[in-house]
Amino acid sequence: MTIIKRGFAALAAGALSTALAVPAFAEPVKFDFWFGLSGDLARVVDTLCKNFNASQSDYEVVCTSQGNYDATLQNTIAAFRAGKQPTVVQVYDVGTATMMLSGAYKPADKLMEENGYKIDYSDYFPGIARYYATSKGEMLSFPFNSSTALMYWNKDAFAKIGKTEAPKTWEDVGADLKALKDAGYDCPMAINISGNESWQLMEQFSAIHNQPIATKNNGYDGLDARLEMNKTKFVQYVTDLKKWYDDGLIKIKSKDLGQDMVQAFATGTCQVIMTSVGDHGTVGKTQKEGMNWDVAELPVYAGTERKNSLVGGASLWVLSGKSDAEYKGAAAFLNFIHDPKTALFWSTNTGYIPVTKSGFEYMKSSGFYDKAPYKGREVAIASLTASEPTEITRGIRLGNFTQIRAEFGTQMQAIFANKESVQDGIDALVKNGDAILDRFQQTYPNKTLP
Amino acid sequence: MEKRVTFGRWTIGILFAVPQLLLIFTFFYWPAGQAVYWSLTLQQPWGGGNIWVGLDNFRSILANADYWNSITASMIFAGISTGLAMIIALVLAALTDRQLAGSWLYRVVLIWPYGIAAPALALAFRFILAPEAGFMAAVNKFWPGFWDPGLNGADAMASVIIAFSWKYVGYNFIFFLAALQAIPRSLIEAAAMDGSGVVRRFWDIQFPLITPTIFFLLVINITESFQDSFGIVDIMTAGGPANATNLMVYKIYSDGFKGLDYSGAAAQSIILMLLIVLLTIVQFRFIERRVHYR
């Protein structure tokens, strides 16, 4: 008995001494940040967190990868329902409408104001800011990792058909792919038609052509918006893609089939792909020795006045129900991420673009875009800022959009497998997608988007 | 003379049972009850307002063509994969049950597949069955367009069936072998002395004696094919192409977790549970009668 008693006494003494030691060093306020990036990108985020913690002594951010965007949102919801949510969470672009109606966040602009940070919101590229802002322009979350889609093209292959420039119109694309095929290239262009590719094939295409995805200005003006891409230029686009696929000018590449688009391009198997600027680094690191390639803006149909492309990626949300001290830390963290120097670190190590004009200018002035591995990434900024955002190109604000994307994949597969005609497939996408939107609206009766 | 072991108080018995009851309640009855409640409401993902909708979730699911397609796919999957896994395992078990030198080695090799986690297994088969690499690429070169699980629904279904059956062959094999080894050698030796061949002995003696095992495995295999197929489908086909492999359990996952439609997913899992209960009852009523117990 005495031994146990002595043990307890020692423990108590230990606890007391630590408790006494605390005020002397002022333990930093800890808060959680959950994010969805993994692998190489997760390591960059970890470094970012370390840099923040080293930059000051008042706060300590604890950064935890949840594996991917879906899991991050699922885990955050589960944690929120249990009252154990992180302070800051990274939510992907298509989760924006869901987040806005959740009632589970603290508006980012309010948070910054309350904690004495003055952020110039006009510094954000408008196409990026408006995706995450309310219809009145209040920033509910902070853009973090942003990207847009580009066309990657193999200069060597195009040289063989006497071209020194990437095709600018879809009409040219058709002719070039044919020429590449005739020149002996087995896979002139690769696409993927899974749900996630909706981002490039449907959303980016619609934006730069100023074509709506849904009524009510892509959902910004109400939860009763319904899909309408079965009546837009999108139908023509899918018809062309399908025809080129049938003619052997386009191959479908995906991980499930053994090789994804990016690998197919980097190894020189396929000559053209459309993918995120975020893959710019990967192509550079994994490309075939000596291959010459470049990136260009996505093509438009002849006679189209190009509009800005949509931002992809994710933003940082601050969740409700945390202490003032944690909010102070979160505000300091967001301010740190907003800093142009952080933007340079982030973009150098990932491929994501800077989200603010000052960040972009800072990177330009530091000569970032002149250096070999990063050259071409400025095209993404040009694409995102091709025009002032219109009612349609400022973004997409539809509930349960993940499910709509999944439906996109399903119908594209049915079209490409000749189970449905192009028009029937897109009509089915609209019909099933509308049912998904209906359900979202029923789940949130009497609520409107902020 | 009191010979029975008696406890001072009957409450002690209850006390011993409590942890078990608590576990069952926490991990089965409570979540199941929660699922029933969710299936009758529209749940807002972040909590807060839950709207009572009665049977609306069930109505909208049963009116959805995709859901019926998912039921059909699950039935096809369950039927073919269970059949394959059981027949192949039985043949292999019958072969290794013979007095052969080194048959322990076959046994070990055949038991292994069951020990592999579904995701690892699915990943391996994704590579093995990829149309542009390995064996199938060679077949495709010889016969263009023969194998295309990316767009051809039947090929995709075949892929997941192959992976699932491969795993359960190992599982079934253990049981079949144990059952075959439990048959007294004297029975088989007597038949052999009477001059009956290997096949005859199998059908007349061994097969009837292992029918309880066959029945047990049938129930387990069918149930598992409805529930355990999730990991394989997620990694190999993600339900595609065009919903061809969107099995019921996978649809529950993608609607509930990816789509955040908790209520719709809850309603689907209730239907799945009822379906499995129904299938098990049918099996016990109609097949068990033919089973020979010793």
Side-chain angles (χ1 to χ4, degrees):
Chain A
M1 244 358 195
T2 46
I3 293 175
I4 295 175
K5 251 186 201 160
R6 224 179 280 158
F8 271 121
L11 268 180
L16 200 66
S17 63
T18 13
L20 287 174
V22 168
F25 296 103
E27 196 82 5
V29 175
K30 278 193 184 183
F31 63 95
D32 279 307
F33 167 42
W34 287 4
F35 61 97
L37 303 169
S38 60
D40 194 34
L41 293 173
R43 278 191 286 280
V44 183
V45 177
D46 282 335
T47 312
L48 194 78
C49 295
K50 269 190 206 121
N51 292 348
F52 170 73
N53 289 335
S55 73
Q56 42 71 45
S57 56
D58 297 339
Y59 314 105
E60 185 185 340
V61 62
V62 181
C63 301
T64 318
S65 170
Q66 305 290 320
N68 58 52
Y69 289 142
D70 282 339
T72 306
L73 191 56
Q74 290 156 22
N75 296 350
T76 305
I77 289 174
F80 188 82
R81 291 176 80 115
K84 293 185 165 41
Q85 69 274 26
T87 310
V88 185
V89 63
Q90 180 193 28
V91 177
Y92 54 0
D93 47 10
V94 289
T96 306
T98 307
M99 285 304 295
M100 282 183 167
L101 288 184
S102 69
Y105 61 87
K106 189 168 176 70
D109 51 0
K110 272 214 188 76
L111 174 91
M112 298 312 270
E113 201 186 301
E114 281 171 17
N115 289 289
Y117 294 97
K118 288 213 167 50
I119 304 271
D120 175 15
Y121 295 101
S122 63
D123 189 29
Y124 282 105
F125 288 114
I128 297 175
R130 284 186 207 172
Y131 204 109
Y132 302 110
T134 66
S135 43
K136 291 177 215 95
E138 298 150 328
M139 294 290 286
L140 298 186
S141 64
F142 267 27
F144 178 49
N145 54 321
S146 292
S147 62
T148 198
L150 295 176
M151 176 171 262
Y152 291 59
W153 58 291
N154 187 320
K155 284 170 127 176
D156 299 334
F158 274 78
K160 281 239 176 82
I161 58 166
K163 294 265 179 152
T164 52
E165 274 193 343
K168 289 207 165 50
T169 66
W170 281 108
E171 286 80 359
D172 288 347
V173 173
D176 288 354
L177 294 182
K178 179 89 180 42
L180 285 167
K181 185 88 184 171
D182 293 342
Y185 289 102
D186 185 46
C187 172
M189 177 163 158
I191 61 169
N192 188 354
I193 49 172
S194 74
N196 287 338
E197 302 309 321
S198 149
W199 182 63
Q200 291 144 41
L201 300 177
M202 184 169 82
E203 297 155 38
Q204 300 291 358
F205 173 87
S206 299
I208 57 178
H209 287 82
N210 204 24
Q211 301 284 299
I213 297 279
T215 58
K216 299 255 165 181
N217 293 324
N218 281 349
Y220 272 70
D221 298 346
L223 291 180
D224 52 346
R226 291 300 174 259
L227 301 178
E228 57 172 347
M229 55 279 186
N230 58 342
K231 292 176 232 150
T232 69
K233 271 188 191 150
F234 176 64
V235 179
Q236 171 67 39
Y237 182 47
V238 177
T239 308
D240 283 345
L241 290 177
K242 174 68 168 61
K243 187 179 172 298
W244 294 333
Y245 172 78
D246 290 341
D247 294 345
L249 307 180
I250 287 182
K251 293 270 157 86
I252 294 174
K253 295 280 175 187
S254 74
K255 251 197 193 113
D256 313 345
L257 305 178
Q259 193 184 37
D260 68 24
M261 277 193 303
V262 175
Q263 288 167 338
F265 180 77
T267 54
T269 311
C270 298
Q271 314 312 321
V272 181
I273 57 167
M274 289 178 287
T275 189
S276 162
V277 65
D279 288 323
H280 196 275
T282 310
V283 173
K285 277 181 227 161
T286 59
Q287 70 169 83
K288 197 173 74 177
E289 191 71 34
M291 185 174 109
N292 293 302
W293 58 280
D294 205 350
V295 286
E297 289 175 289
L298 294 183
V300 289
Y301 277 107
T304 307
E305 191 193 334
R306 174 188 290 278
K307 297 292 178 196
N308 66 291
S309 59
L310 290 184
V311 62
S315 65
L316 302 183
W317 291 79
V318 178
L319 296 177
S320 54
K322 300 308 248 187
S323 70
D324 284 347
E326 285 168 304
Y327 282 140
K328 274 206 172 75
F333 185 58
L334 292 184
N335 191 54
F336 173 79
I337 285 182
H338 184 74
D339 192 281
K341 283 195 215 71
T342 314
L344 177 64
F345 165 82
W346 177 244
S347 299
T348 309
N349 289 286
T350 60
Y352 289 112
I353 54 169
V355 290
T356 57
K357 291 171 198 158
S358 58
F360 180 52
E361 289 306 325
Y362 181 77
M363 287 174 67
K364 250 201 319 206
S365 67
S366 73
F368 178 83
Y369 293 105
D370 306 328
K371 283 180 256 171
Y374 312 119
K375 210 166 168 289
R377 288 189 195 171
E378 72 281 2
V379 177
I381 305 278
S383 173
L384 276 167
T385 55
S387 73
E388 192 56 29
T390 70
E391 299 284 279
I392 285 164
T393 66
R394 67 183 155 177
I396 296 161
R397 190 61 48 85
L398 300 170
N400 287 343
F401 200 65
T402 321
Q403 278 177 302
I404 295 174
R405 280 188 172 176
E407 190 61 38
F408 166 87
T410 300
Q411 297 304 333
M412 287 293 278
Q413 285 162 352
I415 290 169
F416 276 70
N418 287 324
K419 281 169 95 181
E420 281 172 338
S421 71
V422 171
Q423 187 67 53
D424 286 353
I426 300 174
D427 284 344
L429 166 60
V430 167
K431 182 171 156 271
N432 296 346
D434 281 349
I436 293 166
L437 291 175
D438 256 337
R439 197 159 172 80
F440 187 79
Q441 199 186 358
Q442 283 163 18
T443 311
Y444 291 103
N446 319 318
K447 277 212 185 180
T448 48
L449 286 163
Chain B
M1 283 268 282
E2 180 65 84
K3 277 206 166 173
R4 278 180 299 156
V5 182
T6 52
F7 292 103
R9 279 194 299 254
W10 62 273
T11 43
I12 290 185
I14 297 282
L15 222 62
F16 276 114
V18 160
Q20 177 79 355
L21 289 175
L22 221 70
L23 280 176
I24 294 181
F25 178 81
T26 319
F27 291 104
F28 182 75
Y29 289 105
W30 188 68
Q34 193 83 354
V36 172
Y37 169 66
W38 282 22
S39 72
L40 300 172
T41 59
L42 262 181
Q43 291 277 324
Q44 293 182 359
W46 292 86
N50 301 322
I51 306 141
W52 183 263
V53 293
L55 293 173
D56 272 6
N57 288 324
F58 291 94
R59 268 182 222 118
S60 69
I61 286 161
L62 293 174
N64 186 340
D66 282 347
Y67 189 65
W68 287 100
N69 160 64
S70 157
I71 294 181
T72 317
S74 297
M75 295 291 181
I76 293 171
F77 177 83
I80 301 180
S81 58
T82 300
L84 271 181
M86 291 194 52
I87 292 167
I88 295 172
L90 185 56
V91 170
L92 291 173
L95 292 175
T96 43
D97 182 44
R98 304 190 61 201
Q99 313 285 337
L100 289 174
S103 61
W104 63 270
L105 182 69
Y106 300 122
R107 283 177 213 161
V108 172
V109 168
L110 288 169
I111 286 166
W112 269 350
Y114 187 65
I116 298 174
L121 173 96
L123 211 56
F125 269 98
R126 200 171 86 180
F127 284 116
I128 294 168
L129 298 174
E132 293 171 356
F135 176 68
M136 293 323 282
V139 175
N140 270 346
K141 201 155 245 167
F142 184 71
W143 195 347
F146 173 76
W147 182 252
D148 185 14
L151 278 186
N152 186 321
D155 290 355
M157 182 58 104
S159 312
V160 287
I161 286 176
I162 291 170
F164 183 85
S165 320
W166 192 75
K167 180 177 161 108
Y168 275 85
V169 161
Y171 178 83
N172 295 344
F173 174 79
I174 303 170
F175 282 89
F176 280 138
L177 189 66
L180 287 170
Q181 306 235 309
I183 297 170
R185 291 284 124 183
S186 55
L187 280 176
I188 296 160
E189 281 157 11
M193 283 201 300
D194 287 343
S196 64
V198 176
V199 176
R200 183 71 191 263
R201 290 201 300 264
F202 179 77
W203 282 117
D204 285 355
I205 299 171
Q206 288 168 310
F207 188 80
L209 287 177
I210 62 165
T211 43
T213 306
I214 295 176
F215 175 66
F216 162 77
L217 287 177
L218 187 71
V219 175
I220 295 287
N221 275 220
I222 289 183
T223 310
E224 290 293 284
S225 69
F226 276 99
Q227 295 182 334
D228 192 37
S229 46
F230 161 76
I232 288 172
V233 172
D234 189 35
I235 287 174
M236 292 186 74
T237 63
N243 286 336
T245 56
N246 201 7
L247 307 183
M248 292 168 82
V249 66
Y250 191 71
K251 192 167 160 50
I252 292 172
Y253 162 75
S254 51
D255 285 5
F257 284 89
K258 286 192 175 161
L260 303 179
D261 179 8
Y262 295 163
S263 315
Q268 288 177 47
S269 49
I270 303 281
I271 296 176
L272 179 62
M273 188 174 81
L274 292 178
L275 189 75
I276 291 174
V277 169
L278 189 78
L279 274 170
T280 313
I281 291 174
V282 167
Q283 291 175 87
F284 270 93
R285 277 191 68 90
F286 297 103
I287 304 176
E288 203 206 10
R289 289 187 189 163
R290 297 161 181 264
V291 171
H292 169 97
Y293 289 102
R294 278 196 296 155

